[in-house]
Amino acid sequence: ALITRLWDTKGNSMEQADVAVLYTDGSHFPDPHGSGAGIFAYTIDKLDEGFAEGYSFPGIPEAITSEGFKPMTVSDPKPLLPEGRVKFYEAVIPVRPSSAQVGELVAFIAAFDVTPFKAKKYIIYADSNYMINTVTDWIWGWERKGWMRADGTPCANLDLLKRMITILRAIKEQGITLIVRKIKAHNGHFG
């Protein structure tokens, strides 16, 4: 299997959420360690006005908002998150020996294929220009050109790209909102 199930769902059924905020990343270490993907996510079952400004949560130094984690200062404290309003998830996914870029693509795919939740709106933060550009632009041109890049060479990771385009079409058909945002790597962001 491309991606193994690593989410701890404790026997719960698929959660339906208003918003899912995900922080994704890929990695590669020299052999024998290999490649991997990671996801840290939270879902909001029902939005309220407090999520626009953010809530505090013990152990998390940033405010939890409907758009992702936001800086929070002592001079601008946020109210405590009401119990049961947010669920947290995390996963580390081993990836076939490859590259960090493959890990980035696998993290995106896993966000839709193996997470124990579905949402009306997904906000995905990633530090990978390759993944972001693939999802928001390049993949459509590659498909139109028979999975060839602009320089005439075949696209790498074709199995992953074909799965991604299937996911993107399903998102569009189901009326799901997908926002993919760039985040600076190794910059202290909680997610």
Side-chain angles (χ1 to χ4, degrees):
L2 174 66
I3 302 168
T4 57
R5 188 196 73 73
L6 295 174
W7 300 89
D8 182 9
T9 59
K10 296 184 176 86
N12 296 334
S13 61
M14 180 71 65
E15 177 198 347
Q16 299 295 319
D18 280 347
V19 177
V21 177
L22 300 97
Y23 291 81
T24 65
D25 205 1
S27 66
H28 176 73
F29 296 98
D31 292 336
H33 302 293
S35 304
I39 300 174
F40 180 83
Y42 64 87
T43 58
I44 303 170
D45 61 348
K46 290 185 179 55
L47 291 175
D48 63 37
E49 292 176 12
F51 281 107
E53 290 297 315
Y55 288 109
S56 65
F57 189 83
I60 297 179
E62 297 178 308
I64 299 169
T65 77
S66 57
E67 297 292 316
F69 291 110
K70 301 294 180 203
M72 182 172 56
T73 63
V74 173
S75 62
D76 183 25
K78 304 297 181 193
L80 191 61
L81 178 70
E83 191 173 326
R85 297 304 310 280
V86 169
K87 292 181 183 169
F88 297 96
Y89 303 88
E90 60 184 344
V92 176
I93 305 161
V95 176
R96 66 183 182 220
S98 53
S99 67
Q101 288 183 332
V102 168
E104 300 283 356
L105 299 181
V106 167
F108 177 86
I109 292 167
F112 297 94
D113 277 359
V114 298
T115 54
F117 54 82
K118 297 293 179 199
K120 297 174 190 170
K121 178 179 181 180
Y122 288 81
I123 301 172
I124 299 178
Y125 289 90
D127 63 7
S128 169
N129 287 325
Y130 173 70
M131 189 279 286
I132 293 169
N133 288 331
T134 295
V135 168
T136 60
D137 185 28
W138 296 344
I139 199 165
W140 306 106
W142 290 337
E143 183 192 43
R144 266 191 316 277
K145 295 176 185 173
W147 300 107
M148 301 297 278
R149 297 184 327 182
D151 65 3
T153 59
C155 292
N157 311 308
L158 189 54
D159 58 333
L160 299 176
L161 296 176
K162 286 183 176 182
R163 181 64 197 127
M164 290 175 77
I165 207 161
T166 300
I167 289 168
L168 292 169
R169 282 198 176 97
I171 287 169
K172 186 176 182 177
E173 289 169 8
Q174 295 169 25
I176 295 169
T177 301
L178 172 63
I179 299 168
V180 182
R181 293 185 175 147
K182 173 77 172 158
I183 193 167
K184 188 172 181 179
H186 312 289
N187 203 36
H189 299 287
F190 184 78

